[in-house]
Amino acid sequence: MIDQTKVRVLLLESIHPDAVSRLEANGFEVESVRNALDEAELIERIDGVHLLGIRSKTRVTAKVLEAANSLVAIGAFCIGTDQIDLPAASRAGIAVFNAPFSNTRSVVELALAEIIALTRRLTEKNSGMHAGVWDKAADGSHEIRGRRIGIVGYGNIGTQLSVLAESVGMQVSFYDTADKLALGNARRCGSLDELLESSDIITLHVDGRPGNAGFFGAEQFARMTKGAIFLNLSRGIVVDHVALREALASGHLSGAAVDVFPKEPKGRGDEFVSELRELPNVILTPHIGGSTEEAQSDIGNFVATKLASFVQEGNTTLSVNLPSVALPLQEGMSRIGHVHVNTPGVLAQVNSILADHKVNVEGQLLTTRGEYGYLVTDISGGYTDEVLEQLRAMDQTVRLRVLA
Ligand SMILES: NC(=O)c1ccc[n+]([C@@H]2O[C@H](COP(=O)([O-])OP(=O)(O)OC[C@H]3O[C@@H](n4cnc5c(N)ncnc54)[C@H](O)[C@@H]3O)[C@@H](O)[C@H]2O)c1
């Protein structure tokens, strides 16, 4: 059992101070490190750490996890979790959490700002002014009110953009491969072509599944209406940038905003190379759709809350790797969290061990996800070490944690 007053947290990569205060408010001892650590350094520092917080630069490898003798959960204070060996974490019964929704609003606001800027041709007016050109002409400048936005991918970001775009007077259409409920007055299109042929603005908010690589190319640009505007703030790999350049250079599209690229520079000093450089009425941004102080603070709070809830209550809601279980804590109960290999009969075996020792089950919840199951059991009247030893000795047990 982890003594709740002695939970050790190691946060790397300058995680937002809101996360530190949230974890300290739970009585945890937090050590915050400015930079990422490499594998050898992390192996050295992970001894005795219960919770590890990282961002995108720290790699949590199988070797690190082997050395992590006390680790119960990892918080990725970002969206992606590719930097963590998730199968190894699951094998060790370590829960991984991230912040999939914290920067949704930031992306939506950037998209909306870019739609207005492109529709008013602000980029050209701005660069003209910097070059000393005073051009008050209204040609090609429009209000966004009444124009039709076509959203491709109606998920977290697409739906929020739908609501905001409608509130500034735009008409909204969307296309999604999954069956999605239309919000407000949004119109669902039965095909991507229908959306492309009927919208003044097309904006991509699809996920990065492998099938989406290169799905938007010359054929799709040709389907868009003449003078339309194109935005991609989703994933760089989904768009053919040579085809986009041609559609812009030929005047078929009147503008574009791109935040994500198939190949992005690794560091600050590296040159940004793209077919889209030096085109008029094109806004290029360095993958900053979700980069706001508000989003960082929200990520800090969100992930820290998930980590604390896992330590204190065993809740795995929105865990990236473990089955999702959330059982309200009852006063005076002991709670046992049991991560196990998902095979038939585990529940019966656990309950038979408890019954043999006259332990009464007051609450219980089991969820499975692929190879693993997670069972949370609340018991009253205490338990002996023998009960825990027998549960631990089960062939299917991956990890057993007594929470209270
Ligand atoms: N620019 C940034 O900084 C930034 C920040 C956050 C998220 N993102 C990216 O934005 C995208 C959307 O994020 P989200 O949280 O809304 O994701 P989400 O998973 O909630 O939504 C994606 C939606 O796209 C749909 N979809 C997938 N492939 C499709 C296709 N080919 N055609 C039509 N619909 C399709 C899915 O069914 C789903 O509804 C992701 O790719 C994410 O990585 C970018």
Side-chain angles (χ1 to χ4, degrees):
M1 192 196 307
I2 305 178
D3 179 344
Q4 303 281 335
T5 60
K6 293 202 177 108
V7 175
R8 276 190 58 205
V9 187
L10 176 63
L11 298 182
L12 307 179
E13 305 185 55
S14 306
I15 285 167
H16 200 276
D18 285 0
V20 178
S21 30
R22 176 59 65 107
L23 292 161
E24 284 178 344
N26 286 284
F28 302 168
E29 182 194 316
V30 182
E31 184 187 359
S32 217
V33 175
R34 211 167 195 280
N35 301 319
L37 297 182
D38 66 22
E39 191 180 55
E41 291 169 319
L42 188 50
I43 286 173
E44 212 168 280
R45 300 283 285 269
I46 200 101
D47 180 53
V49 167
H50 300 105
L51 298 173
L52 173 68
I54 58 161
R55 290 172 69 186
S56 55
K57 288 204 177 76
T58 304
R59 293 194 56 233
V60 183
T61 60
K63 270 192 178 169
V64 169
L65 294 169
E66 252 169 57
N69 50 12
S70 307
L71 197 65
V72 293
I74 302 169
F77 287 77
C78 50
I79 314 290
T81 50
D82 309 351
Q83 71 282 36
I84 302 166
D85 187 332
L86 292 176
S90 304
R91 279 197 301 278
I94 294 169
V96 179
F97 298 94
N98 67 343
F101 320 118
S102 296
N103 60 13
T104 303
R105 172 72 188 212
S106 301
V107 178
V108 169
E109 288 194 12
L110 181 62
L112 205 54
E114 291 179 331
I115 289 167
I116 296 173
L118 293 170
T119 308
R120 289 297 288 271
R121 305 193 77 86
L122 289 188
T123 53
E124 287 160 305
K125 299 286 182 197
N126 178 56
S127 50
M129 288 293 277
H130 283 283
V133 179
W134 182 266
D135 170 15
K136 275 172 64 74
D139 307 348
S141 293
H142 300 277
E143 293 183 350
I144 58 162
R145 178 173 50 169
R147 292 179 93 73
R148 187 165 284 280
I149 180 174
I151 300 172
V152 186
Y154 208 57
N156 297 312
I157 294 173
T159 47
Q160 199 168 136
L161 179 58
S162 172
V163 172
L164 255 72
E166 204 167 278
S167 70
V168 291
M170 300 187 80
Q171 297 182 60
V172 179
S173 298
F174 71 90
Y175 169 71
D176 198 296
T177 42
D179 202 11
K180 295 284 172 148
L181 178 73
L183 300 184
N185 300 314
R187 184 164 72 85
R188 187 197 164 92
C189 289
S191 70
L192 179 60
D193 286 351
E194 184 191 334
L195 184 86
L196 300 179
E197 287 163 7
S198 59
S199 304
D200 303 305
I201 295 140
I202 289 293
T203 181
L204 303 189
H205 300 287
V206 299
D207 53 62
R209 67 185 72 177
N212 279 343
F215 102 99
F216 211 100
E219 197 188 321
Q220 287 67 35
F221 289 122
R223 291 256 179 210
M224 286 173 63
T225 57
K226 172 123 181 76
I229 280 167
F230 174 80
L231 285 90
N232 183 20
L233 289 89
S234 63
R235 293 292 183 108
I237 51 151
V238 304
V239 176
D240 176 348
H241 280 190
V242 175
L244 175 55
R245 186 187 170 90
E246 278 166 19
L248 287 159
S250 70
H252 181 60
L253 298 188
S254 69
V258 182
D259 186 47
V260 286
F261 301 86
K263 273 197 193 132
E264 299 181 355
K266 285 214 162 52
R268 220 173 239 195
D270 300 345
E271 191 188 354
F272 163 65
V273 180
S274 166
E275 295 83 357
L276 303 176
R277 276 173 50 177
E278 290 166 16
L279 287 172
N281 213 26
V282 173
I283 300 175
L284 301 178
T285 45
H287 205 147
I288 51 160
S291 304
T292 61
E293 291 187 16
E294 288 78 4
Q296 287 308 314
S297 157
D298 201 83
I299 288 171
N301 270 309
F302 187 89
V303 179
T305 304
K306 292 272 164 239
L307 292 173
S309 166
F310 181 67
V311 169
Q312 292 166 340
E313 301 182 20
N315 289 343
T316 46
T317 309
L318 290 179
S319 166
V320 177
N321 62 328
L322 292 188
S324 178
V325 171
L327 190 63
L329 211 53
Q330 301 182 69
E331 188 85 1
M333 299 285 157
S334 297
R335 172 165 288 190
I336 298 172
H338 185 242
V339 180
H340 55 266
V341 177
N342 180 18
T343 48
V346 174
L347 183 60
Q349 210 175 324
V350 167
N351 284 342
S352 126
I353 292 171
L354 296 174
D356 287 351
H357 292 81
K358 308 261 178 298
V359 175
N360 194 35
V361 174
E362 302 280 355
Q364 198 166 44
L365 200 55
L366 165 71
T367 309
T368 61
R369 176 177 181 175
E371 272 180 81
Y372 298 96
Y374 180 44
L375 173 68
V376 170
T377 305
D378 283 352
I379 55 180
S380 61
Y383 52 85
T384 59
D385 285 347
E386 203 189 331
V387 173
L388 300 182
E389 272 159 33
Q390 286 190 15
L391 292 173
R392 265 194 197 104
M394 283 170 56
D395 287 346
Q396 304 93 332
T397 299
V398 171
R399 188 153 191 173
L400 189 84
R401 238 168 30 98
V402 181
L403 296 158

